[in-house]
Amino acid sequence: MQRMGKGRTPRRPVPKRGPHVEKDPVGVYCRIRPLGADDQECCIEMISNSTIQLHAPDGLKANRNGEYKEMQYSFKHVFGVNTGQMELFQEVAKPLVEDLIHCKNGLLFTYGVTGSGKTYTMTGSAGEGGLLPRALDMLFNSISPFQAKRYVFKPDDKNGMEIQDSVEALLERQRRESQLPAVPKTPSRQRADLEFADMINAEEACKSDSVDEDCCYSVFVSYIEIYNNYIYDLLDDAPFDPIRPKAPQSKPLREDQNHNMYVAGCTEVEVKSTEEAFEVFWKGQKKRRIANTQLNRESSRSHSVFTLKLAQAPLDADGDHILQDKNQVNVSQLCLVDLAGSERTSRTRAEGSRLREAGNINQSLMTLRTCMEVLRENQMCGTNKMVPYRDSKVTHLFKNYFDGEGKVRMIVCVNPKADDYEETMLVMRFAEMTQEVEVARPVDRPICGRRQRHQAFREERGGANAGTPLHYTVSDPALLTQLLESLPPLPPCNLLDPSDDQTLPRLIEALQKRHRIRQMMTEQFNQTAASIRSMMEQFSSQVGAKDTLIHSQQSRMGEKEKLILNQKTEIERLEKKSKTLEYKIDILQKTTDMYEQDKRSLEQELDSREQRLQKELSERRRMEQRMQGVVADTKIKWESECVRRVNAKQLEMQNKLWVKDEKLKQLKAIVTESNSGGASDAVQERPLRPTRERDHNAGYKRSASPSPMPPIPVRPSHRRSHSCGGDKWVDHRPSSNLELDTVMQPIVPNAITVSSPNEKALSKCHKYLLRHQELASDGEIETRLIKGDVFKTRGGGQAVQFTDIESLRQEDPNAPSRKRRSGSAESLQMEDRENRPPVTNSGPVHPKRWKP
Ligand code: ADP
Ligand code: MG
């Protein structure tokens, strides 16, 4: 990760991390202070080392008719009245100091009503040092051997940390020391030292065992007070004028380039020991006390924030110098906050400006409470409500702890006295709620100090003088010889003569020359070594930067992998869904197929039924036709039978008549004979008895000779004279009749032809003729001429009485069935003769009909 040329800011911005950020709840601890000497009733009972029970005081119970609930509250840990400062520190603050040393931020605050022991817990008293001096002590005990020289780390004014090389630092040190007034230690400083020495026993000293020895450290402290929602720098060097006390200048809150909040222009003092740090703290305390006294303020109404800032940077491979790379500087901080009393305004009996102050205090604590509530709601319900950090300076300053990452711990101080009961209850509720807020756990950011690694590497290579880089040995004999040869040769140094005063000076001169050359070579060597070293340092810092880059890339890769994993699960889910959908589609397809098949079979069945119906219908029609034919056949048969019988009867009657006539004639002859005497002629003249045989012969004879014919039994109505006489006929021809191409056509002269009978036509005529056509049983068309007389009715209308029927029928002589049906040709001729039309054309018709 490329930083902006500054050391890491204490409160890191919210890193854009995936949903799997590890979070820890705010650690809430409860400390019960012992009852004061004046207090009798204890309202708090410690049930276990994590639970307390609140008992309503007697007075309150009486007021509310004894219906007061006994409430229990649980915390991460409850510290009873006998808990010492050391125990509390070990449990609550030590892990935060450990984190601070490992580049992680921490926030520790005490909360409770005034007099509940917040200041006692945070600062402590003589012999009973609180969390703050103990934290300082532990920090310096741990990092002292690895501290950087003063001014190597230098805070800029924008919440960043710059790094200077040793020369710059030395110059600055000298400059600052020259500016300081050369006064001996003041009694107050001595007192402060004494106080600190009183606070913590030497045997209680604490130390972290896991300090990174590849790093160089520097501690900066700042101390601010938030009063009336204004921030004041308690380490500001501006002299306080006791005669004309001036309200101190408040400091604004700013956001640095990494969106971390800081107090702009706040003094940050670099301290090198616990004593020095504590001295600075006391200085701030003193200033606070003076301001409170002079400005008539109540210290319990201000929040105080003591910040321990630890800057650390990796050492170079030699372990002598800090890597001059600002990107490698890590800054972590631990804020120790002593909040104002959480009691309500009414309880403080504040008036005027004090009321406003109390209101502000309570307002800031209210804001803290609201922020916790909103945070908890957002985290528990997944909502994204805006947390009102900006509503007060306290919450705004610590925004990054809740928004970003860090470890947050709160010690709820309670006084078990009866007076505080109701306030304590409110404090407990807030504390319980705060426990449900979660803060992102700070991640490890290892610093890439290379000294130890480099040493280990050299040791592995068997370098005997590892760690002493300036003592070089030349192990190559050839190189050594070459070096010696390059020096000027030594003159002969044999002293043979005691008075020889030249050999020795010459030797001295040669040796001096050699010495000078050696010095020059050493210098050159040192220069080269220095340049190589700086190159190495540069290289090392580059490697460090690369390491950091690799680290950040690895974390990014982890995030990406998580994302890929999420997407894979999503894809799997979608695949499963698509499979189930496909299965459903399959089932639906099958169902559709089944229905289609059903539909097809039903259609087939419908078709076959329709065909059957058609067949039945045509069968019925055929049957009907056949029945009609049979009926017509039977009718014709019976009609001809009737005619035959009538004819026979007529013949019989005629015969009988003839016999009677004969008898009468014989009687008449007898009578006449008796009268005239001759009777022989009478026998000769006696007519023949009409027989069928004789009729036949007579018929044949008639054509041969026109002898008088015996009378044919013809009904009077059949006579020609009747049909062709002077009567006027109505010839009714229905329009449905067919024109037949027959030889014989009935022609009625003197007739009015109509297609349907009407009264007008009937009134003019006496006779009526209907031409009726019908199908005979043999399939031929038969025309029937139905004749009748027209009468005038009594009402003035006309009525027709049918008197006669003539039939006209055509036959195919080759058709055997008809012959069978109609019998012999003779009978046909008979029939034809009998069924003559009323009028027939003379000429070709008669010979055809009457020829044998
Ligand atoms: P606060 O800061 O909450 O107003 P202080 O810390 O000033 O309260 O405590 C008020 C008094 O109670 C002080 O005199 C302090 O010594 C005493 N006190 C508080 N807590 C304890 C404790 N745990 N043990 C002994 N004395 C205590
Ligand atoms: Mg206090």
Side-chain angles (χ1 to χ4, degrees), residues 49-172:
N49 59 4
S50 64
T51 311
I52 59 161
Q53 179 151 13
L54 253 66
H55 301 286
D58 290 340
L60 206 73
K61 271 183 194 161
N63 279 348
R64 308 212 176 175
N65 307 326
E67 290 172 6
Y68 223 79
K69 270 190 191 167
E70 308 250 301
M71 297 295 292
Q72 286 193 355
Y73 299 94
S74 292
F75 302 97
K76 196 164 180 183
H77 201 287
V78 175
F79 299 100
V81 289
N82 297 321
T83 310
Q85 301 280 58
M86 184 63 193
E87 188 188 337
L88 186 79
F89 174 78
Q90 294 272 3
E91 188 74 28
V92 185
K94 197 179 170 188
L96 292 177
V97 181
E98 288 273 7
D99 277 1
L100 177 74
I101 294 168
H102 295 110
C103 301
K104 294 174 190 172
N105 297 328
L107 171 66
L108 173 63
F109 57 94
T110 52
Y111 185 88
V113 296
T114 302
S116 59
K118 297 185 295 297
T119 309
Y120 176 80
T121 300
M122 194 55 86
T123 313
S125 57
E128 288 288 333
L131 302 179
L132 188 147
R134 283 173 201 276
L136 281 172
D137 194 38
M138 178 178 164
L139 179 63
F140 282 107
N141 288 344
S142 311
I143 60 139
S144 275
F146 316 107
Q147 284 198 88
K149 292 236 161 57
R150 220 180 275 268
Y151 306 121
V152 168
F153 292 103
K154 190 182 173 195
D156 62 6
D157 290 336
K158 291 165 192 133
N159 206 30
M161 193 65 78
E162 285 174 349
I163 195 160
Q164 304 190 112
D165 63 26
S166 48
V167 180
E168 286 171 329
L170 180 68
L171 288 173
E172 180 145 3

Side-chain angles (χ1 to χ4, degrees), residues 568-758:
K568 266 186 190 163
T569 23
E570 180 66 16
I571 286 168
E572 269 170 23
R573 193 181 67 77
L574 286 172
E575 268 175 3
K576 266 185 199 162
K577 204 173 156 186
S578 89
K579 259 184 200 157
T580 46
L581 284 175
E582 270 171 15
Y583 179 67
K584 273 185 191 170
I585 288 169
D586 226 39
I587 288 173
L588 283 172
Q589 192 68 49
K590 275 178 190 161
T591 320
T592 315
D593 285 354
M594 257 161 59
Y595 280 126
E596 284 279 334
Q597 234 171 16
D598 275 9
K599 193 183 144 198
R600 269 203 297 278
S601 67
L602 281 172
E603 272 175 358
Q604 274 174 5
E605 201 178 329
L606 198 74
D607 278 357
S608 69
R609 279 188 186 198
E610 245 175 35
Q611 276 175 5
R612 233 165 43 212
L613 205 73
Q614 287 290 334
K615 226 161 96 180
E616 276 173 13
L617 216 68
S618 63
E619 188 77 18
R620 227 173 79 183
R621 269 200 218 109
R622 236 184 21 241
M623 203 74 176
E624 246 176 36
Q625 279 181 357
R626 238 172 55 204
M627 288 314 288
Q628 270 179 1
V630 168
V631 167
D633 266 6
T634 319
K635 203 175 151 191
I636 288 163
K637 212 169 102 187
W638 279 110
E639 267 176 7
S640 60
E641 179 66 23
C642 279
V643 168
R644 192 185 59 76
R645 281 184 190 176
V646 166
N647 287 347
K649 204 79 188 163
Q650 260 184 354
L651 203 64
E652 192 187 318
M653 291 310 283
Q654 275 176 357
N655 277 344
K656 271 182 188 170
L657 197 69
W658 182 80
V659 169
K660 273 180 187 171
D661 267 352
E662 280 299 301
K663 273 181 186 170
L664 200 64
K665 272 178 190 170
Q666 280 174 5
L667 277 172
K668 218 173 174 179
I670 292 165
V671 171
T672 320
E673 230 173 70
S674 61
N675 289 339
S676 61
S680 55
D681 296 342
V683 178
Q684 286 177 345
E685 280 175 20
R686 201 178 58 190
L688 286 171
R689 188 182 168 177
T691 59
R692 275 181 189 263
E693 290 78 30
R694 211 183 297 148
D695 275 352
H696 276 282
N697 294 339
Y700 295 134
K701 277 177 190 167
R702 195 172 53 184
S703 62
S705 64
S707 63
M709 273 180 63
I712 299 164
V714 176
R715 276 194 289 172
S717 60
H718 284 186
R719 279 177 307 181
R720 261 173 165 235
S721 59
H722 270 271
S723 53
C724 60
D727 288 336
K728 201 152 185 194
W729 287 79
V730 172
D731 186 2
H732 179 196
R733 295 184 193 186
S735 52
S736 57
N737 280 9
L738 299 171
E739 277 304 321
L740 299 175
D741 189 23
T742 48
V743 176
M744 279 193 280
Q745 293 284 341
I747 295 169
V748 186
N750 205 14
I752 301 171
T753 306
V754 291
S755 62
S756 62
N758 56 58

